[in-house]
Amino acid sequence: MAATLCHLNHGSGLKKLNDYLLNCPNITRSYQLSPLSGAAGTRRYYNRICIRKLEVERQKGSKCCFSRCRAELWDNTYKEETDYISRATLIWRAIKLPIYSVALVPLTVGSAAAYFHTGLYSARRYFVLLASSILIITWLNLSNDVYDFDTGADKNKKESVVNIVGSRTGTIVAAWLLLALGFMGLTWVAVEAANMRSLFLLASAVTCGYIYQCPPFRLSYQGLGEPLCFAAFGPFATTAFYLLQSSTSSELPITGTIFSGSLLVGFTTTLILFCSHFHQVEDDRAVSKMSPLVRLGTKRGSQVVKVAVITLYSLLFALVSLCPDSISGKTSGQLC
């Protein structure tokens, strides 16, 4: 023991000795019992032994515990910060402003194709159709939140309109009113253009949106949401908007220009829908919403996105390369 103490550094002797005893697993501090202590003294003795052992273990692992506690504190703080989202931010996310590009793009592509063939363009029809399309996309957004709320898919989705408003009934009533107003606008333009075929195409697009999400169909839960999206915003909507730019005396022909353009619009819109499911794969799987991303997984899904983007740019390049005369305006009414 004396030899051991000689190896201690200079300083406070009692402190050094105490530190040494704490770090030595083979040294156990004992306490002598008073002969008159009896059972109570025995309990106190063993309590002291247990406390001392716990203190030794605590001192041994103090650095590790400190690091672990600091990491846990950081994780908890970060989690609290990320869990707290202001109401303004949630409302902004619920609006989903980028999603309204799916109303703007088919209309713009269809109108541009009509102008390419005829040189005519009606700004009034364009903006009435744009406003009507925005109302219908809002119906899609709100009704989708309502029916996903019913199935539990949006249980953890803070930016769900139903979760923000707190009223399922109010949300679904507003959604159907917006659909009615939007379809009235589409009907008005179709009547003015004297083109009922376009109204049939738009009704088909709305039907695709209904069976995509609404009961009893809910085909998005069977993994058919992407094909429906392709048909609705591509061949149906883009072609209909093209026809609605025609004059009342003659109807525009369905040419390769509008057909190719509608396919590209449908392709890009479907890709947007596919990517929108990346953040909710686990919630979708929990309620048996078997979207293509749930079936593929996020890793393979990301590879699909890369291939799709490359394919899209390849198609655009091929379209421009095969039809240089049409793009430069040397021909009219024909493409490819």
Side-chain angles (χ1 to χ4, degrees):
M1 186 67 179
T4 303
L5 293 177
C6 289
H7 287 85
L8 295 176
N9 296 330
H10 296 289
S12 175
L14 292 176
K15 183 177 183 301
K16 297 290 183 178
L17 178 60
N18 184 59
D19 291 341
Y20 177 77
L21 291 174
L22 288 173
N23 292 317
C24 289
N26 296 326
I27 298 178
T28 304
R29 187 176 177 181
S30 61
Y31 299 85
Q32 187 166 355
L33 293 174
S34 169
L36 300 176
S37 58
T42 303
R43 282 197 300 270
R44 284 197 298 271
Y45 170 76
Y46 284 112
N47 285 340
R48 288 191 203 124
I49 294 294
C50 292
I51 292 172
R52 190 63 180 175
K53 288 183 176 180
L54 289 174
E55 186 178 350
V56 170
E57 294 299 324
R58 182 184 65 81
Q59 291 292 338
K60 285 181 180 180
S62 59
K63 293 182 180 179
C64 178
C65 290
F66 176 74
S67 300
R68 186 167 59 251
C69 291
R70 183 172 59 180
E72 291 177 356
L73 178 61
W74 173 263
D75 291 342
N76 291 335
T77 303
Y78 177 77
K79 187 175 184 299
E80 289 176 1
E81 290 177 354
T82 53
D83 284 346
Y84 174 74
I85 303 175
S86 66
R87 187 173 180 82
T89 302
L90 290 176
I91 293 174
W92 174 253
R93 291 181 180 179
I95 293 173
K96 299 176 183 175
L97 190 60
I99 200 176
Y100 293 96
S101 63
V102 300
L104 180 65
V105 172
L107 175 59
T108 302
V109 171
S111 300
Y115 181 78
F116 174 76
H117 286 296
T118 65
L120 300 176
Y121 169 74
S122 174
R124 183 179 62 173
R125 290 184 190 176
Y126 179 90
F127 287 107
V128 172
L129 290 172
L130 179 61
S132 301
S133 300
I134 289 174
L135 292 176
I136 292 176
I137 296 301
T138 307
W139 161 72
L140 283 172
N141 184 22
L142 294 179
S143 59
N144 184 65
D145 279 1
V146 169
Y147 296 124
D148 279 349
F149 173 82
D150 291 343
T151 60
D154 282 355
K155 178 177 59 176
N156 300 319
K157 189 178 179 182
K158 295 182 179 180
E159 64 269 23
S160 169
V161 176
V162 179
N163 291 334
I164 294 175
V165 175
S167 173
R168 178 198 181 279
T169 303
T171 304
I172 194 62
V173 169
W176 286 105
L177 286 176
L178 292 173
L179 174 63
L181 290 174
F183 204 78
M184 286 174 59
L186 299 179
T187 304
W188 180 82
V189 176
V191 171
E192 185 186 58
N195 194 310
M196 292 297 105
R197 185 165 60 159
S198 62
L199 188 61
F200 172 77
L201 291 173
L202 291 172
S204 299
V206 172
T207 302
C208 287
Y210 181 86
I211 63 178
Y212 165 80
Q213 60 189 349
C214 300
F217 305 100
R218 289 179 176 166
L219 296 185
S220 61
Y221 283 73
Q222 309 303 320
L224 298 176
E226 279 70 11
L228 290 171
C229 178
F230 176 84
F233 293 99
F236 289 156
T238 305
T239 305
F241 292 141
Y242 162 80
L243 294 174
L244 288 175
Q245 286 291 339
S246 62
S247 62
T248 56
S249 58
S250 62
E251 184 176 288
L252 289 171
I254 305 296
T255 63
T257 305
I258 187 59
F259 180 73
S260 302
S262 66
L263 293 181
L264 290 174
V265 170
F267 191 83
T268 54
T269 308
T270 302
L271 184 59
I272 292 172
L273 177 63
F274 182 83
C275 294
S276 69
H277 293 148
F278 269 95
H279 71 289
Q280 58 187 44
V281 171
E282 295 303 324
D283 289 339
D284 287 348
R285 184 180 289 110
V287 296
S288 300
K289 186 176 181 179
M290 303 306 294
S291 66
L293 199 56
V294 171
R295 298 178 187 273
L296 293 172
T298 54
K299 184 176 180 180
R300 291 166 62 186
S302 62
Q303 296 172 350
V304 169
V305 172
K306 293 177 183 177
V307 173
V309 171
I310 294 172
T311 303
L312 177 61
Y313 278 100
S314 300
L315 290 174
L316 288 171
F317 179 77
L319 180 63
V320 174
S321 299
L322 292 174
C323 311
D325 293 337
S326 296
I327 300 302
S328 62
K330 294 182 180 178
T331 61
S332 177
Q334 298 295 329
L335 183 60
C336 302

